[in-house]
């Protein structure tokens, strides 16, 4: 690894890669360090087969072009196709375990201006990676500490997982933490220490999606559409409490069927129950809602973000959507910047927030030119 660079970006999710892309456009030297063995962070998309244009999302799924200007611009820049969230047909309401679900004709679009991306949200990650030199993006690289040097630069201490498992340091003028603020506060050692007030604020900032678990049932076709159902449902019975059609589309046609839903069970209870038990309960619920045609999915995908140590902490057990927009300035560390959606002042908790925070961090770095 190159031992000296202008900017170290810690975190290779959407925010970190977008920050790297912006720095690359302006000729700023940088490197992205990602602790996972993949890029994308909370963006995870999986295909049914080898066609990467047909992916289902196990992380964020939607965007809203009318209110997500930076994300809309990035989709256009990367040349990615998109399609509207399917919502035609009856909506299912499941209130009591001892009564059948009720089919309701809503009479209006329950998800207006809501869109999905062809190839899943991972298409954003792949598009950004194509624009970054491979030597400037490193996987399995866990940052443990940053230390301010006498000349105002920073020494970044990291550990490489796999291979030789080497431990090393990297010098940089600027640091961008493109990761959840709560994880920064808990996992990174600072010398000198972060401002105590700021650290407390970081500790109290809920991590977007960290409390969630998401299941996707994949079928040959979206059979519920032929039955007059939209695929959307709300349930007080569970285990999924909010359900939608997640069938990938190409040129306006579904390539296969997918139903996705959010778990209504908290992280601790999910961990006790176990993934396989929860998958069985999800399948039983699908049959309850959509009939025997739902009994035999090709497979059931499931991700519990609460059990992802590079996303969640124990404090994230019940958070649904946090309150964001805190001041992230530390006068002791003016060259350390914080990105990631939790650091966004206007779009916290959305993909737009990841881009917004990255743009803000890069604008500050550019101001030093």
């Amino acid at each position: 690894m190159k031992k000296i660079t202008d900017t170290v970006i810690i975190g290779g999710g959407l925010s970190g890669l977008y920050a790297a892309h912006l720095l690359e456009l302006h000729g700023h030297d940088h490197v992205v360090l990602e602790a996972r063995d993949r890029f994308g962070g909370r963006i995870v998309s999986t295909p049914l087969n080898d066609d990467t244009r047909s992916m289902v999302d196990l992380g964020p799924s939607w965007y809203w072009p009318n209110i997500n200007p930076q994300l809309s611009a990035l989709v256009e820049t990367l040349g990615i196709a998109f399609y509207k969230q399917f919502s035609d047909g009856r909506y299912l309401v499941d209130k009591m375990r001892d009564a059948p679900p009720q089919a309701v004709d809503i009479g209006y679009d329950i998800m207006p201006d809501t869109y999905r991306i062809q190839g899943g949200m991972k298409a954003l990650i792949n598009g950004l990676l194509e624009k970054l030199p491979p030597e400037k993006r490193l996987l399995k690289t866990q940052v443990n500490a940053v230390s301010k040097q006498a000349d105002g630069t920073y020494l970044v201490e990291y550990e490489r997982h796999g291979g030789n498992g080497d431990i090393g340091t990297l010098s940089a003028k600027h640091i961008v933490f493109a990761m959840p603020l709560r994880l920064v506060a808990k996992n990174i050692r600072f010398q000198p220490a972060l401002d105590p007030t700021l650290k407390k604020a970081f500790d109290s900032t809920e991590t977007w999606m960290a409390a969630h678990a998401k299941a996707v049932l994949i079928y040959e076709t979206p059979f519920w559409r032929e039955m007059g159902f939209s695929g959307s449902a709300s349930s007080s019975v569970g285990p999924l409490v909010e359900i939608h059609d997640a069938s990938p589309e190409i040129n306006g046609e579904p390539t296969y069927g997918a139903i996705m839903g959010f778990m209504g069970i908290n992280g601790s209870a999910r961990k006790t129950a176990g993934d396989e038990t929860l998958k069985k309960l999800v399948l039983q619920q699908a049959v309850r809602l959509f009939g025997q045609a739902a009994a035999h999915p090709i497979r059931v995908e499931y991700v519990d973000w609460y059990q992802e140590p590079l996303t969640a902490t124990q404090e994230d057990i019940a958070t649904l959507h946090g309150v964001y927009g805190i001041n992230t300035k530390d006068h002791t560390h003016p060259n350390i910047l914080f990105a990631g959606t939790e650091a966004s002042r206007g779009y916290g908790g959305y993909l737009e927030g990841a881009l917004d925070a990255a743009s803000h961090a890069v604008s500050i770095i550019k101001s030093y030119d």
Side-chain angles (χ1 to χ4, degrees):
M1 181 191 298
K2 185 179 179 181
K3 298 301 181 183
I4 300 176
T5 188
D6 185 78
T7 301
V8 172
I9 300 168
I10 302 170
L14 179 61
S15 184
L17 295 179
Y18 189 59
H21 169 58
L22 295 178
L23 290 172
E24 186 75 16
L25 287 176
H26 291 92
H28 280 257
D29 193 26
H30 65 275
V31 63
V32 180
L33 308 182
E34 168 57 50
R36 288 181 167 97
D37 61 359
R38 62 171 180 82
F39 290 106
R42 284 164 275 184
I43 289 179
V44 176
S45 308
T46 184
L48 173 61
N49 45 44
D50 294 333
D51 189 350
T52 57
R53 297 175 302 167
S54 298
M55 307 273 269
V56 293
D57 288 306
L58 294 166
S61 304
W62 300 305
Y63 82 109
W64 297 266
N66 291 336
I67 57 175
N68 293 163
Q70 291 195 73
L71 186 51
S72 296
L74 181 60
V75 168
E76 183 176 352
T77 296
L78 297 177
I80 300 173
F82 54 91
Y83 56 96
K84 190 179 182 307
Q85 166 68 40
F86 184 83
S87 58
D88 294 340
R90 291 172 292 169
Y91 185 90
L92 289 168
V93 179
D94 194 20
K95 291 185 176 181
M96 295 181 290
R97 195 176 301 276
D98 58 353
Q102 300 298 304
V104 180
D105 290 310
I106 299 291
Y108 58 88
D109 188 350
I110 63 170
M111 302 187 77
D113 301 319
T114 303
Y115 286 80
R116 292 179 179 269
I117 287 177
Q118 184 175 297
M121 290 298 174
K122 190 176 179 180
L124 295 171
I125 301 303
N126 292 340
L128 289 170
L129 287 173
E130 289 176 2
K131 294 181 176 296
L132 298 176
E135 67 272 14
K136 293 186 179 181
R137 42 185 174 88
L138 299 171
L139 294 171
K140 301 181 182 178
T141 306
Q142 177 94 44
V143 171
N144 301 312
V146 294
S147 304
K148 191 175 184 179
Q149 306 301 291
D151 62 358
T153 63
Y154 280 88
L155 195 66
V156 179
E157 299 178 31
Y158 64 85
E159 179 179 357
R160 298 293 305 276
H161 301 294
N164 296 326
D166 61 314
I167 297 173
T169 59
L170 180 64
S171 295
K173 297 178 183 177
H174 309 283
I175 308 289
V176 177
F177 279 100
M179 55 187 283
L181 299 176
R182 184 172 268 170
L183 289 183
V184 173
K186 292 186 177 299
N187 296 345
I188 306 296
R189 301 189 308 273
F190 289 87
Q191 180 59 42
L194 278 181
D195 179 282
T197 301
L198 188 64
K199 185 179 186 301
K200 183 178 180 180
F202 283 9
D203 270 324
S204 301
T205 300
E206 297 89 347
T207 300
W208 173 60
M209 278 182 54
H212 284 296
K214 187 174 181 179
V216 180
L217 296 92
I218 298 175
Y219 298 92
E220 291 282 355
T221 64
F223 61 85
W224 51 91
R225 297 185 184 184
E226 298 175 3
M227 300 164 63
F229 294 121
S230 65
S232 291
S234 63
S235 175
S236 303
V237 177
L240 302 180
V241 293
E242 180 184 352
I243 297 168
H244 298 284
D245 186 318
S247 307
E249 293 186 12
I250 297 177
N251 298 325
E253 295 294 330
T255 56
Y256 54 88
I259 286 285
M260 59 76 74
F262 298 100
M263 283 283 180
I265 304 169
N266 73 38
S268 180
R270 295 196 304 263
K271 188 173 182 179
T272 299
D275 293 358
E276 293 308 312
T277 295
L278 291 172
K279 285 182 181 180
K280 290 178 182 178
L281 292 174
V282 165
L283 185 56
Q284 291 173 9
Q285 182 180 18
V287 173
R288 172 183 170 82
L289 293 173
F290 300 107
Q292 282 300 313
H296 302 289
I298 298 171
R299 69 172 186 264
V300 179
E301 296 282 357
Y302 177 71
V303 169
D304 188 340
W305 290 102
Y306 181 65
Q307 296 187 52
E308 293 280 332
L310 295 174
T311 297
T313 68
Q314 289 186 345
E315 288 85 348
D316 291 305
I317 187 169
T319 302
L320 294 180
H321 196 105
V323 178
Y324 305 112
I326 66 171
N327 187 342
T328 60
K329 290 183 179 179
D330 186 336
H331 295 294
T332 305
H333 299 291
N335 290 348
I336 294 183
L337 305 165
F338 299 94
T341 189
E342 290 82 11
S344 172
R345 301 300 297 271
Y347 299 92
Y350 295 95
L351 293 176
E352 184 76 7
L355 301 181
D356 175 60
S359 298
H360 180 66
V362 170
S363 69
I364 294 175
I365 293 172
K366 286 167 55 183
S367 72
Y368 286 95
D369 289 351

